[in-house]
Amino acid sequence: MANLVYKRVSTDQQSTDRQNLVLDEAGIEDPIPFEEESGTSSRLHPLQRPTFRELLKYARPGDTVHISEMFRLVRGTQHVLDVLDVLHRDRLALRIHDGAFSAMDLTARHPRTGELLSTVKFMVQTLAAAGELQRDLQRELTYDGLRAAEAKGNKGGRRPAVPAGKTDAVRTAYLEGRSIAALARDHDVSRGAIRTAVADLLPEYTAADQDAPAPELAVVLDMPGKVADFLRAAKLEPAARAALDQGVTVRRGQGYTLRVSTEPEVHRQLLDRCQPLSNAMAIPTQRKARREYANRVNALGADN
C-alpha cells in the first residue's frame, strides 16, 4: 500500500515550504509526491486539476492520500464531499496532517448504508463553511483597501509591461522603422506590450474608419460559480480575463454566481472556453452550470 503525497500552491509567488515541513514531521514512509503546477487555483475543482487526476489514476485500493491541510486539496463544502465520494469509490484513505480536519476520520461510513456518517458530514460542512467565510472576509477587506487607495489617487492593477521610462524610446525607435517584433526582443516583453506603447502610431489607428459601427454595449449576465471556478484557472484572452476579474460575487446558499458585465462577444469567448465542462469527465453539477450559462449567452443572439 502506497503513501501518495499531494501538494499545491495558489500563486507563482508561493512555495510548498510549509507543506513540506508539516509532511516531513509526519514521518510518512516512502512518500510518492504529486505536486500541482505552481499557481494552480483553489477555485478549480480538485477532480479537474491535472496532478490530482494523475494521482487518482496512479492510486490502487488501500493506498493513502496525504495532504498537509484540507484546503490544499479542496476549497468549499461541495469540493470536500465530491472528493470523499471518489476516495470511497476507489477505496483510498485520506490523511490530513494539520489544521481543523487533522483529528477527524473523514472516510468513516455507516456500516450498513455505506453513506458518509452524518456527524462527519456535519463537521465537514461546518468547517468548510467557516473556511469560506474567512476567505470572503479577506476579499472584502482587500476590496475596501483598494477603494481607499483609489480615493487617494493610487491606481491598482498590473503595471505596464513597458516601463514608463522606456516608452518614449520605444516610440522613437518605432517611428525610425524598428519593427514591433524587434522591439519586443530588445526590451524582453511581448509584442502586445509594444503595440500598446505605440497604439496611436499604428496604421490601423490613424486610418480608422470614422463611419465604423459603434462597439457592442456591455451586457450583465450571471455566471454559475462552477463555471467561474473553471475559467479562473484557464488561459483566457485579456478582455475575457478582465471581465472575469471584475465580476461581482453574489452568494447563493453554499454556492455563488459571478455577475459579469462585458460585451456579448466576450461572453461568447468565455462560454467557448468552458466547453470541457460539457464533457463526460466533468461532474454533473459542472455540466448543469455550463448549460445554464450557455442558455443565457445564447439568448443574447436571440435578442439582437
Side-chain angles (χ1 to χ4, degrees):
M1 293 183 287
N3 290 309
L4 314 179
V5 176
Y6 178 78
K7 307 175 190 176
R8 182 192 62 81
V9 292
S10 299
T11 70
D12 294 333
Q13 288 72 41
Q14 295 175 327
S15 74
T16 57
D17 290 347
R18 182 181 177 280
Q19 297 175 63
N20 293 337
L21 177 62
V22 171
L23 295 166
D24 289 344
E25 290 178 345
I28 302 170
E29 184 178 354
D30 298 325
I32 301 173
F34 290 83
E35 184 173 337
E36 293 286 358
E37 184 177 348
S38 179
T40 301
S41 172
S42 61
R43 289 184 177 274
L44 182 63
H45 197 291
L47 301 180
Q48 296 293 332
R49 295 181 197 149
T51 301
F52 189 65
R53 292 175 65 173
E54 180 184 340
L55 180 152
L56 292 176
K57 290 180 181 179
Y58 179 91
R60 296 295 179 268
D63 289 352
T64 300
V65 178
H66 297 265
I67 53 178
S68 62
E69 57 185 343
M70 193 61 167
F71 294 110
R72 291 300 94 203
L73 176 60
V74 299
R75 175 178 172 80
T77 306
Q78 193 57 50
H79 286 192
V80 180
L81 299 177
D82 289 343
V83 168
L84 291 180
D85 282 343
V86 170
L87 295 179
H88 175 68
R89 180 199 68 192
D90 295 346
R91 290 182 287 168
L92 303 175
L94 176 64
R95 183 74 173 88
I96 304 166
H97 294 278
D98 194 20
F101 291 91
S102 58
M104 298 174 58
D105 179 9
L106 297 181
T107 58
R109 300 268 167 169
H110 192 283
R112 288 182 294 278
T113 66
E115 295 181 353
L116 198 65
L117 286 179
S118 57
T119 52
V120 173
K121 189 173 182 179
F122 173 77
M123 289 300 296
V124 165
Q125 291 173 329
T126 301
L127 292 172
E132 289 186 72
L133 174 62
Q134 180 184 16
R135 288 190 296 274
D136 288 342
L137 289 173
Q138 289 173 337
R139 280 198 299 270
E140 290 174 5
L141 290 172
T142 300
Y143 175 71
D144 289 342
L146 290 173
R147 289 186 61 193
E150 186 177 352
K152 293 181 180 180
N154 299 324
K155 294 184 178 180
R158 295 182 180 179
R159 296 179 178 177
V162 177
K166 295 184 178 181
T167 301
D168 289 341
V170 168
R171 293 168 63 84
T172 299
Y174 177 78
L175 290 172
E176 292 175 350
R178 194 78 170 150
S179 70
I180 289 177
L183 287 169
R185 289 194 299 271
D186 292 346
H187 295 274
D188 195 25
V189 297
S190 68
R191 297 185 184 185
I194 299 297
R195 291 182 67 87
T196 298
V198 300
D200 59 323
L201 305 177
L202 297 173
E204 55 265 36
Y205 180 92
T206 56
D209 184 2
Q210 299 300 318
D211 296 325
E216 291 183 307
L217 297 177
V219 176
V220 179
L221 291 182
D222 281 354
M223 177 187 293
K226 291 190 180 297
V227 174
D229 290 347
F230 176 85
L231 289 173
R232 281 194 173 96
K235 292 183 179 179
L236 302 175
E237 295 296 325
R241 174 62 63 189
L244 199 67
D245 290 344
Q246 294 167 12
V248 178
T249 299
V250 180
R251 306 306 302 184
R252 303 289 189 192
Q254 293 182 348
Y256 76 99
T257 61
L258 191 69
R259 191 151 293 164
V260 179
S261 176
T262 188
E263 295 81 5
E265 177 57 31
V266 177
H267 278 298
R268 286 187 280 270
Q269 291 177 17
L270 291 167
L271 176 63
D272 183 66
R273 191 64 188 82
C274 67
Q275 176 63 34
L277 295 185
S278 298
N279 298 339
M281 291 295 293
I283 61 176
T285 53
Q286 289 178 316
R287 292 198 293 269
K288 179 181 177 182
R290 204 254 177 197
R291 284 198 302 272
E292 291 178 359
Y293 185 51
N295 290 338
R296 293 165 188 167
V297 174
N298 293 334
L300 296 177
D303 293 339
N304 292 338

